[in-house]
């Protein structure tokens, strides 16, 4: 416990040996025990010490006001998905998108990236599978009325980190926290408003599901726990919206906590159905990961040609899971709520 060293009342040092003792002492008792401090000076000292050493006390009303006034909602740009999420995804929270290959996970990430940059927000895009395309970002920005005349400025707000291993991805997140650890850097224009990790499953699932010693499997769980901690720290400490993607895996009769990196027949890219109908598909990374994000959205492939892709909330701290299904179509412009016109 740090020592209490009052600047305005040297005589108080004998009565309050530590910050803890000072904070838990009633002001009336403190004034009576220490004649050298008047009530106004004591209250000022309390405020100074609390601001430096004690966590702030926030009422529910004040907390709601902070959420409504300070936490921005960033849209994807697809009306049906944004409506399902009541406007989009929120700063200070972690949103996971998972689904089969071809369901539009990276498309939505790049749409969110372009929309955020167009709104003068800074974006950090951590690419683990070499799926980021600057050409696609420029195309999406040109389709946004507010950004098409300021392409260079919008592109400059996007930073891309290539991280092809779990350790590289974690290092990128840790570096981000270190660079923005001070109050001054958190309030500067360099702080990212949106952090995208596409994809977390691509770098951690192989370690979780790799055959071999239990030591390797344990290492995978350690990496997963570290990733969850860092992602939530980025969201909380930087007040940033965090968007991560994950893939689906087949049941294969294996341990769900092993991440399912291998095993099981893959889905049909046309219908999204399992080639082995007895399999139950699930998100990679297992049960221990499923409770780490504030919101989880599942993307599904069309059941047959002519039908839309669908998105549904599977877990959320603010929304009702499964309340509504958002249909969307994947086009050259990204995910759209309206079916493209037949050529």
């Amino acid at each position: 416990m740090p020592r209490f060293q009052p600047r305005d009342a040297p005589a108080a040092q004998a009565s309050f040996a530590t910050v803890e003792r000072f904070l838990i002492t009633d002001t009336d008792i403190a004034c009576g025990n220490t004649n050298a401090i008047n009530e106004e000076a004591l209250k000022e000292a309390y405020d100074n010490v609390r601001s430096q050493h004690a966590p702030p006390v926030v009422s529910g009303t004040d907390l709601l006001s902070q959420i409504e006034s300070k936490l921005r909602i960033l849209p994807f740009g697809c009306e049906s998905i944004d409506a399902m999420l009541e406007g989009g995804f929120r700063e200070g929270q972690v949103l996971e998108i998972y689904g089969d290959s071809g369901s539009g996970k990276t498309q939505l990430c790049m749409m969110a990236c372009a929309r955020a940059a167009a709104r003068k927000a800074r974006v950090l895009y951590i690419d683990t599978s070499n799926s980021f395309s600057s050409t696609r970002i420029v195309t999406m920005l040109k389709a946004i009325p507010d950004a098409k005349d300021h392409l260079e400025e919008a592109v400059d707000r996007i930073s891309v980190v290539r991280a092809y291993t779990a350790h590289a991805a974690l290092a990128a997140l840790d570096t981000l926290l270190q660079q923005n650890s001070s109050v001054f850097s958190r309030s500067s224009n360099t702080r990212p408003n949106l952090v995208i990790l596409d994809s977390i499953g691509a770098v951690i699932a192989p370690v979780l599901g790799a055959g071999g010693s239990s030591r390797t499997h344990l290492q995978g769980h350690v990496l997963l726990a570290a990733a969850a901690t860092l992602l939530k720290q980025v969201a909380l400490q930087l007040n940033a919206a965090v968007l991560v993607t994950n893939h689906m895996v087949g049941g294969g009769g294996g341990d769900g906590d092993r991440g399912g990196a291998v095993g099981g027949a893959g889905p049909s890219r046309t219908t999204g159905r399992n080639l082995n109908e007895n399999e139950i598909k699930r998100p990679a990374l297992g049960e221990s990961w499923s409770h780490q994000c504030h919101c989880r959205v599942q993307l599904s492939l069309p059941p047959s040609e002519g039908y839309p892709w669908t998105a549904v909330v599977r877990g959320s701290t603010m929304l009702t899971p499964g309340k509504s299904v958002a249909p969307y179509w994947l086009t050259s412009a990204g995910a759209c709520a309206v079916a493209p016109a037949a050529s």
Side-chain angles (χ1 to χ4, degrees):
M1 173 61 64
R3 305 293 294 179
F4 174 61
Q5 298 179 348
R7 294 170 293 178
D8 300 328
Q13 192 165 358
S15 300
F16 308 113
T18 66
V19 171
E20 182 181 38
R21 179 65 179 273
F22 178 70
L23 289 175
I24 65 176
T25 302
D26 183 82
T27 53
D28 294 334
I29 297 176
C31 287
N33 291 344
T34 310
N35 296 326
I37 306 180
N38 60 40
E39 187 174 356
E40 291 184 1
L42 183 62
K43 288 182 178 179
E44 183 180 355
Y46 266 105
D47 292 338
N48 290 334
V49 173
R50 284 194 179 105
S51 65
Q52 298 178 41
H53 300 287
V57 178
V58 182
S59 68
T61 302
D62 291 339
L63 184 59
L64 178 61
S65 177
Q66 290 178 13
I67 293 175
E68 293 176 341
S69 62
K70 295 182 180 180
L71 297 185
R72 287 194 294 179
I73 297 179
L74 302 177
F76 281 103
C78 177
E79 292 182 0
S80 58
I81 295 178
D82 289 335
M84 179 187 69
L85 296 174
E86 298 185 359
F89 51 99
R90 291 156 175 79
E91 290 183 338
Q93 295 189 358
V94 181
L95 171 66
E96 178 192 12
I97 298 175
Y98 66 85
D100 284 311
S101 176
S103 59
K105 301 185 295 293
T106 297
Q107 288 265 41
L108 285 175
C109 284
M110 288 195 288
M111 287 180 64
C113 177
R115 288 279 171 175
R119 293 160 63 99
K120 298 183 179 180
R122 292 195 169 273
V123 183
L124 174 63
Y125 198 114
I126 303 175
D127 181 12
T128 66
S129 53
N130 200 31
S131 57
F132 180 85
S133 171
S134 56
T135 303
R136 291 282 292 141
I137 288 291
V138 171
T139 300
M140 291 177 177
L141 285 170
K142 288 180 178 179
I144 303 173
D146 296 339
K148 63 181 180 181
D149 296 328
H150 306 280
L151 284 178
E152 186 174 349
E153 293 90 339
V155 172
D156 284 343
R157 299 186 190 104
I158 302 172
S159 301
V160 181
V161 175
R162 308 284 186 181
Y164 301 130
T165 66
H167 292 92
L170 296 184
L173 293 171
D174 186 62
T175 300
L176 175 63
L177 286 170
Q178 293 298 324
Q179 291 175 345
N180 294 272
S181 59
S182 69
V183 174
F184 300 102
S185 59
R186 285 201 301 269
S187 60
S188 69
N189 291 330
T190 60
R191 178 186 67 84
N193 306 97
L194 171 61
V195 177
I196 299 173
L197 177 55
D198 182 26
S199 112
I200 186 172
V203 290
I204 295 185
V207 183
L208 280 173
S213 66
S214 58
R215 181 177 180 180
T216 302
H217 184 56
L218 177 61
Q219 181 186 19
H221 279 285
V222 171
L223 290 173
L224 183 60
T229 300
L230 286 172
L231 289 169
K232 287 184 282 190
Q233 284 180 337
V234 167
L236 179 63
Q237 295 180 20
L238 306 186
N239 192 32
V242 178
L243 178 60
V244 300
T245 65
N246 195 7
H247 59 275
M248 300 285 284
V249 295
D255 179 6
D257 228 19
R258 290 188 174 270
V262 293
S268 165
R269 295 184 67 95
T270 302
T271 66
R273 297 172 179 170
N274 293 329
L275 298 181
N276 181 353
E277 293 295 340
N278 293 325
E279 279 190 345
I280 298 177
K281 303 210 74 177
R282 65 189 189 282
L285 305 183
E287 186 67 21
S288 59
W289 166 256
S290 63
H291 307 288
Q292 299 297 331
C293 300
H294 296 87
C295 184
R296 305 186 87 196
V297 175
Q298 180 181 356
L299 306 181
S300 300
L301 296 167
S304 60
E305 188 174 354
Y307 286 82
W309 287 253
T310 56
V312 62
V313 174
R314 292 302 185 192
S316 174
T317 58
M318 300 180 65
L319 305 174
T320 303
K323 181 179 180 180
S324 61
V325 177
Y328 64 96
W329 280 262
L330 294 181
T331 68
S332 58
C336 302
V338 180
S343 56

